[in-house]
């Protein structure tokens, strides 16, 4: 195609030249006209490619590779025709890199887009680039910069009367405030978003704004910070009023589920049921399975609260069915959890277990998904930090140069300004750190709960109970069963807190040891020794820290050995921590490792202690301590392995 | 051995009723099951009809709880042992009121122990009395139970934890120092009260002292640290509990 085009152009030039011998002046100008129209055609082509690329990106379907082909063709045209890459192409490239995770390139492209659109006066693009930067900074954790970028987008759009961007920018600011847990900022930005949406006659944004504002008053429990039943109710209703103007079924149905949830928290079950059912009327025909699953699950929980288990189960099952259609892990996760809880309440422990296992399965998927995202997050933050440091250095150098010119007064002003910036920055950074840590804490506690309720242990214990039943030993069966239920009760209780009094932790550990020693008759003795200085009711420690180590000692050290062993747990109060020493006379770590490698090829069994170790790291970060775990391989006089000693430094939580 | 204690079992689950009946038949020769019920309404009727000595009462039942049932016997003359499946808010109130309870699934040994306590009390002619149930009803009403039962030389006394300035251990006894210059000796270990009170505004700065943070006047740094209470008493602070005490004080508001 291109060759043909070239030949035609060449022919045309030859022809013009041939005629041109007679009228030389006009020819050159006609060539110029031809060239500039060619250029216009190229620009249109580039713009078309960019538009198509953005469309693909924003619809979020398919893979970003398609976008890449659009970008490459556009760049090719620019290079061939020696056109400077336009701002809109830079922006598209930035968005593309952002989606594919190459954040450094994304920020470089965005900078170019920023510069070029300022130069060319394309304010629409400038605003859009700022909008993009808002999102970029939020992801990289630079919250102050994110807010600033969104503000830029808003002020440019306001000045140049650009429609459609201001509500998006306020929405973005709301995301930032949500991330740092600033409820006031959240609500303020949403109110501004709604106002802007009305100004621009944009009902969808207004609707979304009201819905999110309503959500902020909803909370997850009646005691959630900022919960206000009435305000939430009226805001969500406003959102529905607006959506009556322009129907967005998904948003409308979501509003209905929020209303239902709001009533549920107030225990007004009739109204709650009404709204969840109404939401289903919209979502079922529209195949909005995620929202349907949520409504069904909530209806299940309402009926479970109303003590109508048959009805509840029916709804739960439907909820699960819909959630599975769209692999909605979150809804599966909590529906199984609620179902297990219902069975537990009605005393149907076997079904409670079954659902508990499923709940754990999905919560694990949910958590590991979060973990992977978290990992990507950390990487992004690291890269962004490195980049920011470079920029900081450069800007400091620049400022130093100016310093000589402006003299001492300028210096003072600069220092105080930098100080102010640092102060603001560090405040935001602290908030970010705290919210990040809270997330980590809840994740790790959850992972640890799963570890504590090691399925192996649960089912083996049940098996032993069955054995005693079969032996017609009523008292032993009863004793075993009630011990097991006490342990479950304790574990469920303890796992609701990040820290518990040592006494609670020890009574769970004691029950665990009792059950294990019952199960492996005469296989080992155990002793828990608590230093007199420790007040187990007052000294609080992170939940479920010791048990995984003890389980390790028993399962990998004592069970494989010949003859009877022991595990001793000793707790001593040190200045800033409790020293917990777990000592066994088992086969030792070397032999245990060999055994597990022989059996499974890898040592996945150390998962429990790995989680615990990461929790110690977290405690160190939180409380500024330097606690650790020390393993010692014990040897007898002949130098043969004779057990393992683990010393854990457990932080005392004030 | 005098006559057997006439016993009624009230639980909405027939399995539980049957199980308790068979444990009593097998292990508790001092009891005799004379009535059973599966809900509050028939439970009230059975009690009125039979006039039992002892009632095993499930806390959670559909159409009314065990507490609702008790509310209908303001002048009751039988002992109650609660049976409950969940370690929830009611347990705290039950513990505060020193009423007996058993958790489900029932541990047979614990059951036998609880029966032993009732039989002993009966033989000493000190019936549980209505006071403890009244205290329980009151404690159920708020999330912070307001009446703590303490056994004294002449029966039970019910104290509002707010009025306790401090408790001091005296070997296995405890001295209660109460607002208004009163002092009671209780034959229970300090630890048992600490278990009930430590999640409130009570703190144990020293092995032999449990103090109410409301009555702390000041903290004296000298000589290893002492706490001056509003009644003028000086409480030593153990070296390793100083930081925890200060942290608690910082968190404590009114």
């Amino acid at each position: 195609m291109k060759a043909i085009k070239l030949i035609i152009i060449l022919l045309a030039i030859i022809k013009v030249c041939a005629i041109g011998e007679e009228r030389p002046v006009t020819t050159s100008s006609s060539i110029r006209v031809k060239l500039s129209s060619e250029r216009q055609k190229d620009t249109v082509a580039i713009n078309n490619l960019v538009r198509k690329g953005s469309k693909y990106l924003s619809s979020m379907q398919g893979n970003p590779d398609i976008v890449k082909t659009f970008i490459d063709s556009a760049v090719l045209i620019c290079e061939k025709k020696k056109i400077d890459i336009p701002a809109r192409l830079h922006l598209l490239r930035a968005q593309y890199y952002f989606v594919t995770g190459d954040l450094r390139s994304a920020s470089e492209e965005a900078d170019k887009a920023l510069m070029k659109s300022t130069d060319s006066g394309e304010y629409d693009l400038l605003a859009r680039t700022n909008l993009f930067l808002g999102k970029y900074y939020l992801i990289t954790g630079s919250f102050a910069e994110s807010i600033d970028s969104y503000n830029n987008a808003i002020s440019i759009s306001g000045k140049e009367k650009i429609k459609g961007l201001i509500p998006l920018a306020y929405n973005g600011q709301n995301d930032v405030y949500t991330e740092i847990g600033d409820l006031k900022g959240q609500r303020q930005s949403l109110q501004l978003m709604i106002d802007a949406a009305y100004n621009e006659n944009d009902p969808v944004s207004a609707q979304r704004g009201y819905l999110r504002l309503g959500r902020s008053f909803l909370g997850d429990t009646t005691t959630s910070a900022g919960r206000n039943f009435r305000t939430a109710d009226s805001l969500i209703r406003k959102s529905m009023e607006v959506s009556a103007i322009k129907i967005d079924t998904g948003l409308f149905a979501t509003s209905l589920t929020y209303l239902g949830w709001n009533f549920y928290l107030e225990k007004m079950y009739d109204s709650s049921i009404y709204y969840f059912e109404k939401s289903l009327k919209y979502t079922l025909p529209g195949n909005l399975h995620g929202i349907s699953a949520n409504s069904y699950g909530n209806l299940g929980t309402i009926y479970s609260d109303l003590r109508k288990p048959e009805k509840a189960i029916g709804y739960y099952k439907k909820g699960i069915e819909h959630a599975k259609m769209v692999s909605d892990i979150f809804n599966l996760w909590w529906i199984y959890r609620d179902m297990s809880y219902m069975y537990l309440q009605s005393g149907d422990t076997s079904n409670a277990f079954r659902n508990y296992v499923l709940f754990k399965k999905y919560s694990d998927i949910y958590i590991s998904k979060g973990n992977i995202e978290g990992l990507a997050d950390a990487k992004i933050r690291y890269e962004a930090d490195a980049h920011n440091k470079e920029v900081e250095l450069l800007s400091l150098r620049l400022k130093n140069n100016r310093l000589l010119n402006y003299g001492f007064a300028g210096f003072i002003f600069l220092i105080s300004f930098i100080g102010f910036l640092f102060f603001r920055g560090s405040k935001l950074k602290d908030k970010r750190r705290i919210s990040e840590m809270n997330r980590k804490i809840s994740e790790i506690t959850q992972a640890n709960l799963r570890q504590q309720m090691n399925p192996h242990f649960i089912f083996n214990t049940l098996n032993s109970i069955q054995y005693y039943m079969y032996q017609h030993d009523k008292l032993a069966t009863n004793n075993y069963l009630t011990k097991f239920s006490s342990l479950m009760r304790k574990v469920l209780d303890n796992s609701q807190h990040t820290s518990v009094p040592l006494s609670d932790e020890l009574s769970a550990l004691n029950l665990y040891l009792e059950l294990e020693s019952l199960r492996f008759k005469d296989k080992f003795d155990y002793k828990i020794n608590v230093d007199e200085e420790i007040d187990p009711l007052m000294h609080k420690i992170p939940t479920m820290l010791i048990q995984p180590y003890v389980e390790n000692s028993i399962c990998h050290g004592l069970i494989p050995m010949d003859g009877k062993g022991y595990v001793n747990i000793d707790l001593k109060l040190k200045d800033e921590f409790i020293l917990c020493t777990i000592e066994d006379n088992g086969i030792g770590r070397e032999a245990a490792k060999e055994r597990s490698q022989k059996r499974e090829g890898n040592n996945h069994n150390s998962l429990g202690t790995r989680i615990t170790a990461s929790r110690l790291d977290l405690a160190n970060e939180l409380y500024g301590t330097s606690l650790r775990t020390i393993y010692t391989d014990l040897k007898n006089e002949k130098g043969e392995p004779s057990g393992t000693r683990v010393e854990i430094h457990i932080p005392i939580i004030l | 051995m005098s006559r057997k204690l006439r016993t009624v079992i009230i639980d909405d689950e027939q399995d539980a009723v049957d199980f308790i009946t068979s444990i009593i038949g097998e292990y508790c020769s001092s009891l005799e099951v004379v009535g059973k019920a599966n809900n509050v309404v028939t439970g009230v009727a059975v009690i009125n009809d039979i006039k039992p000595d002892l009632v095993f009462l499930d806390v959670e039942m559909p159409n009314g709880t065990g507490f609702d049932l008790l509310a209908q016997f303001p002048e009751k003359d039988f002992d109650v042992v609660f049976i409950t499946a969940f370690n929830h808010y009611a347990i705290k109130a039950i513990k505060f009121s020193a009423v007996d309870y058993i958790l489900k699934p029932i541990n047979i040994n614990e059951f036998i122990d609880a029966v032993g306590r009732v039989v002993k009390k009966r033989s000493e002619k000190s019936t549980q009395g209505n006071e403890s149930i009244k205290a329980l009803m009151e404690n159920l009403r708020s999330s912070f139970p307001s009446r703590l039962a303490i056994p004294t030389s002449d029966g039970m006394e019910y104290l509002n934890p707010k009025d306790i300035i401090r408790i001091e251990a005296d070997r296995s006894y405890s001295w209660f120092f109460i607002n208004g210059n009163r002092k009671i000796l209780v034959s229970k270990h300090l630890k048992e009260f600490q278990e009930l009170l430590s999640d409130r505004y009570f703190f144990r700065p020293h092995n032999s002292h449990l103090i109410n943070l409301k009555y702390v006047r000041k903290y004296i740094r000298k000589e290893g640290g002492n706490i001056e209470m509003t009644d003028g008493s000086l409480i030593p602070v153990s070296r390793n509990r100083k930081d925890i005490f200060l942290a608690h004080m910082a968190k404590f508001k009114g």
Side-chain angles (χ1 to χ4, degrees):
Chain A
M1 271 302 281
K2 266 178 199 153
I4 295 171
K5 230 184 193 172
L6 262 171
I7 291 169
I8 292 172
I9 292 171
L10 269 174
L11 281 176
I13 291 172
I14 291 167
K15 205 174 160 193
V16 167
C17 285
I19 304 162
E21 272 169 21
E22 290 160 33
R23 291 156 48 187
V25 186
T26 40
T27 21
S28 73
S29 83
S30 98
I31 289 171
R32 218 177 290 143
V33 169
K34 255 204 158 73
L35 272 175
S36 79
S37 81
E38 193 78 6
R39 192 164 204 130
Q40 249 171 19
K41 243 164 75 188
D42 291 333
T43 319
V44 169
I46 292 168
N47 286 352
N48 260 332
L49 287 167
V50 171
R51 199 174 318 124
K52 276 186 195 157
S54 324
K55 221 168 144 187
Y56 257 95
L57 260 186
S58 61
S59 68
M60 284 306 283
Q61 303 166 333
N63 54 10
D65 289 348
I66 298 170
V67 182
K68 179 92 171 110
T69 59
F70 284 122
I71 293 174
D72 287 347
S73 349
V75 172
L76 207 69
I77 296 178
C78 292
E79 277 170 1
K80 272 254 166 73
K81 300 291 163 74
K82 301 222 161 50
I83 300 171
D84 189 31
I85 294 177
R88 62 185 71 234
L89 187 49
H90 281 302
L91 178 57
L92 180 63
R93 272 166 109 175
Q95 285 163 336
Y96 165 76
Y97 285 129
F98 183 76
V99 170
T100 52
D102 182 356
L103 289 167
R104 171 158 273 199
S105 309
S107 102
E108 279 165 10
E109 290 296 325
D111 281 346
K112 281 181 196 155
L114 216 53
M115 246 158 51
K116 287 187 183 170
S117 58
T118 313
D119 287 347
S120 63
E122 293 167 280
Y123 292 110
D124 178 45
L125 263 177
L126 188 58
R128 274 179 203 283
T129 309
N130 271 304
L131 205 59
F132 167 78
L133 280 171
K135 204 160 80 181
Y136 165 81
Y137 282 128
L138 170 62
I139 291 292
T140 54
S142 312
F143 298 122
E145 287 84 349
S146 173
I147 297 275
D148 288 347
S149 301
Y150 282 127
N151 276 336
N152 284 344
I154 291 163
S155 76
I156 296 164
S157 303
K159 243 186 247 159
E160 303 298 326
K161 305 214 162 40
I162 300 163
K163 275 199 164 186
L165 297 186
I166 298 179
L168 290 178
Y170 282 125
N171 194 19
Q173 289 191 336
N174 168 52
D175 288 338
V176 180
Y177 289 123
T178 310
E179 186 71 22
I180 58 177
D182 180 348
L183 199 61
K184 213 176 127 198
Q186 233 176 305
R187 287 180 183 162
Q188 229 162 32
S189 50
L190 285 171
Q191 192 54 56
L192 288 166
M193 173 182 175
I194 294 165
D195 294 346
Y198 273 121
N199 261 339
E200 297 188 0
N201 234 334
D202 174 2
V204 178
S205 293
Q207 179 187 4
R208 190 162 281 140
Y210 275 126
L211 193 57
R212 297 188 75 172
L213 192 56
R215 180 77 185 87
S216 84
F217 283 98
L218 213 52
D220 294 320
T221 58
T222 36
T223 51
S224 288
R227 170 165 169 78
N228 185 323
F229 168 70
R230 267 167 208 289
T231 316
D233 188 73
S234 73
L235 283 168
I236 298 165
R237 279 176 203 281
K238 262 217 185 104
S239 150
M240 289 162 61
E241 256 171 52
V242 181
S243 54
I245 304 168
K246 184 177 190 292
I247 296 283
D248 181 329
T249 322
L251 277 184
F252 192 74
T254 309
S255 307
L256 287 166
T257 60
Y258 281 3
L259 280 179
W261 178 249
N262 201 16
F263 279 115
Y264 171 76
L265 287 181
E266 293 297 315
K267 293 201 162 47
M268 293 155 82
Y269 295 126
D270 288 344
S271 313
S272 179
I273 290 169
Y274 171 78
Y275 284 110
F276 280 120
E277 280 177 348
K278 200 166 166 191
S279 169
L280 281 171
K281 267 186 209 152
Y282 290 92
T283 55
L284 289 180
N287 284 338
L288 298 163
H289 296 298
I291 307 172
S292 303
N294 191 282
S295 302
Y296 275 130
N298 276 307
L299 282 168
T301 301
I302 294 170
Y303 281 111
S304 155
D305 282 7
L306 290 172
R307 311 248 160 169
K308 288 184 183 154
E310 289 91 18
K311 239 176 158 167
I313 289 165
Y315 279 116
Y316 278 140
K317 286 204 169 133
K318 277 190 194 160
I320 290 166
E321 199 181 295
H322 280 273
K324 278 188 175 159
M325 277 187 227
V326 284
S327 319
D328 186 336
I329 307 290
F330 175 74
N331 277 324
L332 285 169
W333 172 64
W334 71 261
I335 290 176
Y336 279 121
R337 183 197 60 196
D338 281 15
M339 241 168 116
S340 158
Y341 178 76
M342 184 186 75
Y343 279 122
L344 201 63
Q345 238 184 354
S346 64
D348 183 351
T349 41
S350 81
N351 265 323
F353 263 132
R354 223 161 41 79
N355 286 299
Y356 192 81
V357 170
L358 284 165
F359 149 53
K360 276 296 147 200
K361 177 180 147 194
Y362 285 109
S363 85
D364 278 358
I365 299 175
Y366 191 64
I367 289 163
S368 71
K369 240 170 108 185
N371 275 342
I372 292 162
E373 275 162 20
L375 210 67
D377 234 42
K379 199 178 138 214
I380 288 164
R381 275 175 204 187
Y382 170 73
E383 279 177 0
D385 270 0
H387 182 73
N388 283 347
K389 266 190 199 131
E390 250 171 60
V391 174
E392 234 166 70
L393 252 163
L394 276 173
S395 67
L396 264 176
R397 248 180 241 159
L398 256 172
K399 274 172 192 159
N400 275 335
N401 279 343
R402 232 179 273 158
L403 191 102
L404 293 169
N405 299 336
Y406 290 112
F408 194 65
F411 175 71
I412 300 259
F413 174 74
L414 217 70
I415 289 292
S416 54
F417 185 66
I418 293 172
F420 171 70
L421 277 184
F422 268 95
F423 175 68
R424 232 179 86 196
S426 76
K427 252 176 112 178
L428 274 167
K429 219 169 156 187
D430 276 354
K431 261 192 174 164
R432 184 173 91 204
R433 226 171 69 98
I434 289 168
S435 75
E436 172 73 3
M437 271 193 182
N438 281 336
R439 195 177 62 82
K440 263 203 217 155
I441 291 171
S442 60
E443 251 169 39
I444 296 173
T445 341
Q446 292 233 24
N448 213 63
L449 168 68
R450 200 199 57 77
Q451 173 57 27
Q452 181 88 1
M453 298 296 283
N454 185 342
H456 269 277
F457 166 70
I458 293 171
F459 296 117
N460 281 327
T461 304
L462 289 172
N463 195 51
S464 301
I465 294 172
Q466 192 185 32
Y467 165 79
Y468 282 115
M469 262 163 67
Y470 189 71
Q471 297 288 315
H472 298 292
D473 187 343
K474 277 189 231 164
L475 272 179
T477 312
N478 175 266
N479 190 27
Y480 215 142
L481 181 73
T482 48
K483 287 249 159 64
F484 180 59
S485 83
S486 306
L487 177 59
M488 274 196 52
R489 208 190 297 275
K490 263 265 136 37
V491 169
L492 284 175
D493 270 0
N494 288 359
S495 63
Q496 282 175 5
H497 310 278
T498 45
S499 67
V500 290
L502 187 62
S503 60
D504 286 331
E505 181 78 3
L506 288 181
S507 64
L509 186 64
N510 218 339
L511 281 165
Y512 168 74
L513 280 163
E514 244 182 279
L515 285 169
E516 289 288 52
S517 69
L518 274 172
R519 181 150 75 92
F520 301 107
K521 278 166 234 66
D522 296 326
K523 194 72 205 171
F524 67 93
D525 288 326
Y526 66 91
K527 211 163 61 195
I528 302 180
N529 185 33
V530 183
D531 185 3
E532 262 184 37
E533 296 246 301
I534 298 178
D535 183 344
L537 282 166
M538 194 175 67
H539 285 109
K540 281 185 156 186
I541 64 167
T543 322
M544 290 168 198
L545 205 62
I546 308 174
Q547 191 268 351
Y549 291 98
V550 176
E551 187 170 332
N552 243 12
S553 268
I554 295 173
C555 294
H556 305 301
L558 298 175
I559 300 308
M561 76 183 279
D562 304 318
K564 194 167 184 176
Y566 68 79
V567 55
N568 288 343
I569 296 133
D570 182 73
L571 293 144
K572 274 209 168 50
L573 188 63
K574 298 284 172 187
D575 272 344
E576 278 168 349
F577 58 90
I578 289 174
L579 175 65
C580 173
T581 312
I582 300 159
E583 192 175 311
D584 65 62
N585 62 345
I587 60 170
R589 289 196 298 163
E590 271 302 309
K593 204 173 164 192
E594 270 170 38
R595 277 174 54 90
S596 75
Q597 268 169 358
K598 234 183 256 165
R599 206 157 12 125
E600 323 182 7
N602 60 12
N603 53 345
H604 90 275
N605 280 320
S606 61
L607 177 70
T609 39
R610 266 214 318 271
I611 292 172
T612 311
S614 65
R615 293 185 62 208
L616 270 182
D617 287 346
L618 185 67
N620 284 337
E621 218 177 309
L622 267 176
Y623 308 112
T625 46
S626 52
L627 308 163
R628 60 225 163 97
T629 320
I630 305 159
Y631 284 91
T632 315
D633 296 312
L634 303 176
K635 300 261 156 62
N636 61 14
E637 308 89 61
K638 290 182 216 154
E640 295 160 344
S642 65
T644 312
R645 181 193 300 138
V646 189
E647 289 166 296
I648 322 167
H649 295 192
I650 303 175
I652 299 168
I653 296 175
L654 295 182
Chain B
M1 184 76 221
S2 53
R3 71 181 178 87
K4 289 187 172 188
L5 295 185
R6 293 153 47 76
T7 306
V8 166
I9 304 163
I10 303 171
D11 194 311
D12 62 308
E13 283 185 46
Q14 189 56 40
D15 283 350
V17 175
D18 292 344
F19 181 59
I20 294 171
T21 311
S22 50
I23 317 179
I24 289 176
E26 205 160 330
Y27 303 101
C28 307
S29 55
S30 49
L31 305 191
E32 175 189 12
V33 178
V34 290
K36 298 168 185 177
N38 294 102
N39 57 51
V40 173
V41 179
T42 48
V44 170
V46 168
I47 291 173
N48 275 329
D49 193 30
I50 292 178
K51 306 255 177 298
D53 301 310
L54 171 60
V55 175
F56 288 100
L57 183 55
D58 188 14
V59 173
E60 304 92 0
M61 288 183 282
N63 308 321
T65 65
F67 304 126
D68 297 334
L69 181 144
L70 278 187
Q72 308 207 19
F73 296 96
E75 301 298 324
K76 78 165 182 62
D77 49 4
F78 49 86
D79 281 298
V80 176
V81 174
F82 285 106
I83 311 242
T84 177
F86 250 173
N87 204 350
H88 52 72
Y89 75 103
I91 301 277
K92 182 106 197 166
I94 292 172
K95 275 186 183 167
F96 250 70
S97 325
V99 179
D100 239 317
Y101 72 97
I102 297 169
L103 287 174
K104 272 186 194 170
I106 295 169
N107 183 308
I108 297 173
N109 291 323
E110 282 172 20
F111 185 87
I112 296 170
D113 288 347
V115 169
R117 283 194 293 273
V118 174
V119 171
K120 183 162 173 272
K121 237 183 336 186
R122 281 262 160 184
S123 70
E124 287 166 356
K125 290 272 184 282
S126 64
T127 44
Q128 192 176 36
N130 288 315
E131 201 56 29
S132 63
I133 295 296
K134 262 187 214 155
L136 170 62
M137 295 301 194
E138 223 162 282
N139 284 338
L140 280 169
R141 236 167 272 149
S142 70
S143 54
F144 283 149
S146 57
R147 298 187 73 192
L148 173 68
I150 54 170
T152 58
S153 50
D154 43 322
M156 282 284 180
E157 178 151 355
Y158 296 91
L159 288 176
N160 190 332
K162 272 188 209 157
D163 298 328
I164 302 169
I165 298 174
R166 65 195 183 88
I167 309 173
E168 187 174 336
D170 186 350
R171 274 154 306 178
S172 60
Y173 291 81
S174 302
W175 281 103
F176 274 64
F177 293 82
I178 298 155
N179 208 358
N181 248 338
R182 217 151 67 84
K183 217 172 133 181
I184 313 174
L185 184 64
V186 181
S187 65
K188 257 188 171 179
H189 199 275
L190 180 64
K191 208 181 129 201
E192 295 183 46
F193 295 109
Q194 188 193 1
E195 249 167 69
L196 287 172
L197 295 169
S198 64
D199 61 337
R200 306 275 291 276
Y201 30 78
F202 281 83
F203 182 79
R204 197 169 172 185
H206 184 273
N207 253 340
S208 3
H209 293 277
L210 185 68
I211 61 166
N212 187 339
L213 294 179
K214 285 170 94 116
Y215 294 98
V216 170
R217 182 178 287 153
K218 62 180 173 192
Y219 173 68
I220 303 160
R221 212 176 290 275
K222 271 183 287 180
E223 287 156 36
N226 280 293
I227 299 165
E228 191 182 313
M229 304 296 287
T230 50
D231 67 349
S233 53
L234 269 189
I235 310 296
V237 182
S238 300
R239 191 178 51 87
N240 57 56
R241 297 185 189 181
K242 199 185 75 191
D243 289 342
I244 308 180
F245 167 70
L246 293 175
H248 271 247
M249 257 341 252
K251 261 187 271 173
F252 172 73
K253 293 178 200 86

